[in-house]
Amino acid sequence: MMVSVKDLSLSIDGSPIIEDISFAVENKEIIGIVGPNGSGKSTLLKTIYKTLRPDKGTILMDHQDISTLSEKETAKKMAVLKQESTIDFDFTVREMVAMGRAPHKKTFENYSRADYMIVDEMIEKVGMKAFSNRSFTTLSGGEKQRVLFARSLTQKPELLILDEPTNHLDIKYQIEVMEIISELDISILSAIHDLNIASSYCDKIILLHQGTIKSFGSPEQVLQEHVIRDIFQVENKVSNNPFTGSIHIYFLGLGSKSKRKTPAAFAEGALL
Ligand SMILES: Nc1ncnc2c1ncn2[C@@H]1O[C@H](COP(=O)(O)OP(=O)(O)OP(=O)(O)O)[C@@H](O)[C@H]1O
């Protein structure tokens, strides 16, 4: 799935929230959206998954304008894992995940054995098999997140949009989510807070700041020390992770504003 976003702008109550955003997601690419709190990551994603309507601009999925697609047509192509879920109905985990098959069914068509094979496969993939019959509302935040992830995988989308997918997750499941999406072979667009997770798993990174794209390119191109210092206002050193080969950012406090002592290794240039 190719996605082309062109000149996207959205204001809320007269304040511009995202402005003139243009970029393309190539087929099967993983694109991470990073940026400080309030930089517009969720708003950009909500505009792409049609919860918000842009004031201006177009979004094409494989050359088709998404504003012309019905909800069902969109859901056949695009799955969304949102940051927060407000689901209070008493569904079991398996029922919840099975909802991911809905866009592929006709009204009143029953789920087939093949549908449930996908459902169970995805529940197992996210490590929730033992919870299949548990009520969704009784789960912890991280467990809910994994179930909703399984539901979006069950949808078998060509484009998966994730709004901070690793929110609530412990380190094992943070890595697991990223490993699973790396193996999906579909296009992925994901807001990510952790810059090192973004650099390890994304083909390209969009850096948002105050609603505009500051930089778009490979992790090496985007995540440069002076850029991280300017945009996130954190002292840092960028180096190579000798074990994975991807770049790694060491965070060194807030510079002159920091209450922490300057690490000796930094002062002596040992990390360079
Ligand atoms: N409905 C709204 N009314 C007014 N302002 C809004 C509304 N929705 C979002 N904003 C503002 O738009 C800006 C961008 O918000 P958004 O949630 O897209 O940022 P974000 O980059 O996802 O932030 P975070 O990293 O904190 O999740 C913020 O300043 C936010 O307060």
Side-chain angles (χ1 to χ4, degrees):
M1 155 87 60
M2 275 179 57
V3 183
S4 166
V5 173
K6 212 160 178 357
D7 299 329
L8 211 61
S9 295
L10 173 79
S11 297
I12 297 178
D13 295 335
S15 310
I17 308 288
I18 53 169
E19 259 188 305
D20 292 327
I21 303 274
S22 297
F23 66 91
V25 186
E26 301 297 334
N27 197 18
K28 300 180 182 180
E29 231 172 19
I30 301 183
I31 299 206
I33 305 177
V34 304
N37 288 144
S39 54
K41 301 180 293 294
S42 294
T43 306
L44 172 58
L45 292 180
K46 280 180 189 153
T47 314
I48 296 172
Y49 64 74
K50 301 209 295 187
T51 293
L52 292 172
R53 190 193 286 262
D55 302 330
K56 164 169 116 44
T58 49
I59 300 157
L60 307 179
M61 287 198 305
D62 282 343
H63 309 290
Q64 208 168 11
D65 188 331
I66 64 161
S67 65
T68 65
L69 297 176
S70 70
E71 211 172 303
K72 189 165 178 171
E73 283 168 334
T74 308
K76 269 190 200 170
K77 290 169 185 276
M78 179 200 291
V80 182
L81 181 62
K82 296 176 195 167
Q83 210 177 74
E84 278 150 27
S85 60
T86 47
I87 298 151
D88 295 322
F89 299 106
D90 200 16
F91 292 113
T92 66
V93 164
R94 197 161 184 251
E95 285 166 343
M96 194 65 152
V97 175
M99 287 175 202
R101 297 305 299 153
H104 299 279
K105 309 303 280 180
K106 297 195 185 82
T107 318
F108 303 123
E109 185 184 351
N110 286 331
Y111 290 176
S112 63
R113 185 195 277 254
D115 289 318
Y116 279 109
M117 276 174 68
I118 299 171
V119 169
D120 291 332
E121 179 196 337
M122 297 311 171
I123 291 175
E124 186 151 12
K125 212 185 237 295
V126 303
M128 289 298 288
K129 195 175 171 194
F131 295 75
S132 284
N133 296 317
R134 268 274 292 279
S135 154
F136 180 79
T137 52
T138 66
L139 301 178
S140 76
E143 290 160 354
K144 281 183 180 159
Q145 188 86 340
R146 279 150 57 200
V147 171
L148 294 174
F149 182 45
R151 185 175 70 175
S152 54
L153 298 177
T154 300
Q155 216 172 312
K156 294 270 179 182
E158 292 171 58
L159 169 68
L160 178 59
I161 295 184
L162 308 123
D163 195 349
E164 289 172 37
T166 58
N167 209 5
H168 290 301
L169 299 183
D170 69 39
I171 186 67
K172 175 184 162 196
Y173 288 111
Q174 285 186 32
I175 291 172
E176 194 169 270
V177 165
M178 298 313 290
E179 301 260 322
I180 291 172
I181 66 171
S182 305
E183 285 165 12
L184 285 178
D185 231 14
I186 60 173
S187 304
I188 312 263
L189 194 53
S190 177
I192 302 176
H193 264 297
D194 186 321
L195 300 184
N196 284 317
I197 292 228
S199 77
S200 301
Y201 291 98
C202 297
D203 299 310
K204 290 184 191 152
I205 291 181
I206 293 171
L207 173 61
L208 274 188
H209 182 51
Q210 296 175 348
T212 64
I213 294 185
K214 277 287 154 203
S215 178
F216 177 42
S218 67
E220 292 78 3
Q221 286 167 332
V222 173
L223 299 174
Q224 297 188 38
E225 286 167 13
H226 69 280
V227 177
I228 296 170
R229 192 178 306 116
D230 287 351
I231 306 288
F232 292 94
Q233 298 172 354
V234 175
E235 277 306 330
N236 67 96
K237 284 282 162 202
V238 176
S239 182
N240 275 316
N241 181 327
F243 303 104
T244 63
S246 58
I247 59 164
H248 189 88
I249 302 139
Y250 294 91
F251 295 104
L252 305 169
L254 301 178
S256 58
K257 283 187 251 161
S258 184
K259 294 205 169 69
R260 240 173 103 190
K261 281 189 192 140
T262 306
F266 176 43
E268 288 160 16
L271 292 175
L272 300 177

